[in-house]
Amino acid sequence: MHHELETLPDAEAVARTGAAFVAKRARDAVAASGSFHFAVSGGHTPWAMFAELAAETVPWEAVVIYQVDERVAPPDDPDRNLVHLNKALGSAPAQVRAMPVNDDDLEAAAAVYAASLPGHFDLVHLGLGPDGHTASLVPGDPVLSVSDRLVALTRPYQGRVRMTLTYPALARARQLLWLVTGSDKKEPLAQLLAGDTTIPAGRVEAGESLVMADRAAT
């Protein structure tokens, strides 16, 4: 798919510009349909973006936030994306639909989460790993081949099993927003923009895609 690229000076500018983009999409979606369905990945850059959102006008009461992926770890473990998401949101009254990674039956939990997803996402935030992964769609994992489920489990990656949205789920996005920072992202970003499907990120399809990247990554 085609990715529009916006190059910004540094990571702080990416977070600030990303926040303004999210806020506008939220306002537009709520004005059009009464709600804003937003899926968020983990990582330092989105948490910085959420901090910047505090300065934006966002109709939080109509915002529903879903997790793109989550590590299977105890509820308060700092590895959990949810811990950082809740901290970043602060007192903002958004509804957060957390992935049920502490259930005993994780396969069943993934199916339950899949059933809770909206028919479309107004916006999905994605990151990009140095190895070309996005969400928890990592190189060589069988999860890359999942086509009949919206949510699936990975093999252990960096010490943790993950629950992740699959390609069919990401395809429900009307708009993707990639936040990419750092010189270690230069090669995978070039591959993503070139449509290289040998990296997991290059296989994502959705309505529209905007990449915000700092100069170090480009």
Side-chain angles (χ1 to χ4, degrees), residues 127-134 137-139 157 167 178 188 191 198-202:
L128 181 64
D131 60 358
H133 85 267
T134 192
L137 302 170
V138 300
Y157 176 72
Y167 289 121
W178 305 74
Q191 291 175 283
T198 65
I199 61 169

Side-chain angles (χ1 to χ4, degrees), residues 41 133 161 201:
S41 302
H133 85 267
V161 170

Side-chain angles (χ1 to χ4, degrees), residues 63-78:
V63 174
V64 185
I65 297 177
Y66 303 83
Q67 290 190 277
V68 169
D69 60 335
E70 181 60 285
R71 296 168 177 86
V72 176
D76 297 322
D77 193 298

Side-chain angles (χ1 to χ4, degrees), residues 142-165:
V143 75
L144 300 179
S145 299
V146 173
S147 60
D148 60 347
R149 284 167 286 157
L150 299 175
V151 183
L153 298 166
T154 70
R155 291 174 176 170
Y157 176 72
Q158 296 177 345
R160 299 282 192 189
V161 170
R162 318 289 182 98
M163 186 177 289
T164 185
L165 299 187

